[in-house]
Amino acid sequence: MRWDIFCRVVDNYGDIGVTWRLARQLVAEQGAAVRLWVDDLAALARICPQADADSDCQLLSSVEVCHWAQAWQAVEPADVVIEAFACELPAEYVAAMAARKAPALWLNLEYLSAESWVEGCHGLPSMQGNGLQKFFFFPGFSAGTGGLLRESGLLAARDRLQSDARARTDFLASLGISPLTDARLVSLFAYENSALAGWLDALAGADTTTHMLVPEGRILGDLQRWAGSPLMLGEVMQRGALSVQLLPFMQQDQYDALLWCCDLNLVRGEDSFVRAQWAGRPLVWHIYPQQEEAHWEKLEAFMALYCRGLSSEAEAALRLVWRAWNAGEGMAPAWAAWLERADELAAHAQVWARRQAVYADLAAALVQFYRNWL
Ligand code: TRH
């Protein structure tokens, strides 16, 4: 089984984050030979420091990672071709697909959404001008979708770290983190957010301690404005009951382990959002803002699904915080409501992860789709 995955980095790290994770999993668990075509290798090098941003072709975790240059060099198309997030394949490559004796399966891997129309569109074909069919493959949160990326050993590795206090301490220490024993450990990965200052003030003035870990990124400007001075990597800034620590951007696997260690994870976009769900810990999602506010519907659809089984008070608290965070205001009162339901929200995060883990993972679902199509 040979696969070509095409990734155009639109912005940030989600496009490469998803495709790099998928490529590795297809190789490691499905016995596939995968070529990953990436137009911006520097983005890959941020989440995978072993990557050489200047190399045309390199082998990383047994994935052949190729630079998708503007001038396309002819190659033989693979058996399965994934166009990630409608990135539009090179015209010459599509022509070569059409010329293949045995047809290739052409899939467009779509963005993740919990909206109800996804199930109806998942797996639908669309006829292309050259007679080829392209299928729409939707990740999602139900049996009628393509599922979520989840490596086979992921949850067991998470459980091992979460149940071993020593391993957790050692892992955190390897990142230069030594929280107070009773501090709430929070990771923060978000877009620019004007709600941050109000929330940090509330945390600083609280009775209980919080240790906030912030991988370098777009939220840094808001954080430094609130702090009133530049933050140095690794350094811990103390304000009342709140400690804030800036971390270097880390490898994907390390970031996973960080999510497992935290009591609350603020995540964004698509891939970190999914990884925080697998952590089985409470999360707050900063959704990728879309034109004409289209992201709100997506946010509401996910909350409706996620909140099933929560008491009405806990559901209200979660909705309050998620809406405040995404609206960029009102985090202090919302956070007070959250704290009253913190235990229930923590237990629910585990229930949610278990509920999602019964579905086939995205890589397995793709392989199954290919087998059914053959
Ligand atoms: O970076 P994101 O905001 O990415 C995206 C893109 O903007 C994309 O265009 C958009 O459509 C999509 O969001 C919805 O968020 P995301 O998806 O969470 O990707 C971040 C990746 O970076 C993810 O794979 C986790 C990884 N990561 C690390 O490897 N190390 C780190 O330290 C951190 C904080 C993240």
Side-chain angles (χ1 to χ4, degrees):
M1 232 183 343
R2 290 177 312 127
W3 297 58
D4 272 333
I5 302 177
F6 285 83
C7 170
R8 207 178 277 292
V9 177
V10 177
D11 57 5
N12 305 316
Y13 302 103
D15 313 285
I16 187 62
V18 167
T19 49
W20 170 233
R21 199 182 285 294
L22 172 64
R24 281 190 294 166
Q25 200 187 343
L26 284 168
V27 169
E29 296 175 23
Q30 303 293 339
V34 179
R35 266 188 312 209
L36 174 62
W37 298 91
V38 187
D39 67 337
D40 176 5
L41 286 165
L44 175 63
R46 288 279 279 162
I47 60 172
C48 168
Q50 299 77 17
D52 175 356
D54 298 318
S55 167
D56 283 340
C57 209
Q58 57 198 305
L59 202 64
L60 295 167
S61 303
S62 303
V63 174
E64 201 181 333
V65 177
C66 304
H67 183 222
W68 179 358
Q70 249 177 351
W72 182 253
Q73 303 283 335
V75 295
E76 199 190 315
D79 307 311
V80 188
V81 180
I82 297 187
E83 178 180 319
F85 313 121
C87 64
E88 214 177 306
L89 304 183
E92 301 90 324
Y93 185 89
V94 175
M97 276 166 76
R100 259 179 69 118
K101 234 196 248 141
L105 173 62
W106 183 3
L107 296 162
N108 184 43
L109 178 63
E110 296 284 343
Y111 285 113
L112 175 64
S113 171
E115 289 161 294
S116 54
W117 55 263
V118 164
E119 283 191 1
C121 296
H122 172 59
L124 288 186
S126 128
M127 193 52 89
Q128 306 296 299
N130 51 13
L132 291 176
Q133 275 191 325
K134 175 157 75 176
F135 292 85
F136 296 100
F137 199 92
F138 281 86
F141 304 95
S142 64
T145 69
L148 300 171
L149 281 172
R150 186 188 74 244
E151 297 82 357
S152 68
L154 182 77
L155 302 187
R158 175 204 65 185
D159 290 346
R160 277 197 299 279
L161 189 67
Q162 288 183 342
S163 60
D164 183 342
R166 182 62 196 266
R168 178 180 181 269
T169 305
D170 289 350
F171 169 71
L172 291 172
S174 75
L175 297 178
I177 304 163
S178 39
L180 294 173
T181 347
D182 55 353
R184 181 190 304 273
L185 204 56
V186 176
S187 78
L188 171 62
F189 181 46
Y191 305 115
E192 297 76 5
N193 196 322
S194 48
L196 181 69
W199 185 39
L200 296 183
D201 284 338
L203 292 171
D207 302 334
T208 51
T209 50
T210 300
H211 191 126
M212 184 172 288
L213 304 166
V214 190
E216 257 186 319
R218 287 174 55 176
I219 194 77
L220 188 56
D222 292 311
L223 185 60
Q224 301 200 135
R225 257 187 302 282
W226 175 81
S229 59
L231 288 170
M232 298 298 152
L233 277 178
E235 184 194 333
V236 181
M237 197 207 74
Q238 191 76 40
R239 187 76 64 84
L242 174 65
S243 310
V244 179
Q245 188 171 6
L246 187 66
L247 301 177
F249 205 79
M250 58 209 90
Q251 303 192 29
Q252 264 189 335
D253 297 346
Q254 279 183 316
Y255 180 60
D256 265 334
L258 182 74
L259 295 173
W260 303 342
C261 289
C262 287
D263 304 300
L264 172 69
N265 294 303
L266 284 91
V267 285
R268 72 182 205 194
E270 178 159 329
D271 192 52
S272 59
F273 169 52
V274 171
R275 305 312 277 187
Q277 293 171 54
W278 292 135
R281 295 284 162 88
L283 69 147
V284 179
W285 183 25
H286 199 180
I287 192 168
Y288 185 75
Q290 285 175 287
Q291 279 172 354
E292 292 164 21
E293 307 284 297
H295 55 284
W296 281 101
E297 234 169 277
K298 221 167 140 176
L299 183 76
E300 294 293 331
F302 180 77
M303 286 194 295
L305 209 60
Y306 183 84
C307 287
R308 281 185 199 162
L310 274 177
S311 69
S312 53
E313 293 85 356
E315 172 167 358
L318 182 135
R319 285 177 182 270
L320 212 57
V321 166
W322 283 39
R323 285 179 185 148
W325 189 238
N326 283 282
E329 58 184 11
M331 271 300 274
W335 181 243
W338 178 290
L339 283 180
E340 292 201 0
R341 299 288 152 188
D343 290 346
E344 186 183 342
L345 290 165
H348 185 73
Q350 294 183 18
V351 172
W352 172 260
R354 278 200 295 274
R355 216 188 271 168
Q356 286 303 311
V358 303
Y359 302 123
D361 69 82
L362 187 95
L366 278 165
V367 170
Q368 192 55 51
F369 192 86
Y370 174 56
R371 293 208 175 107
N372 295 346
W373 172 83
L374 276 175

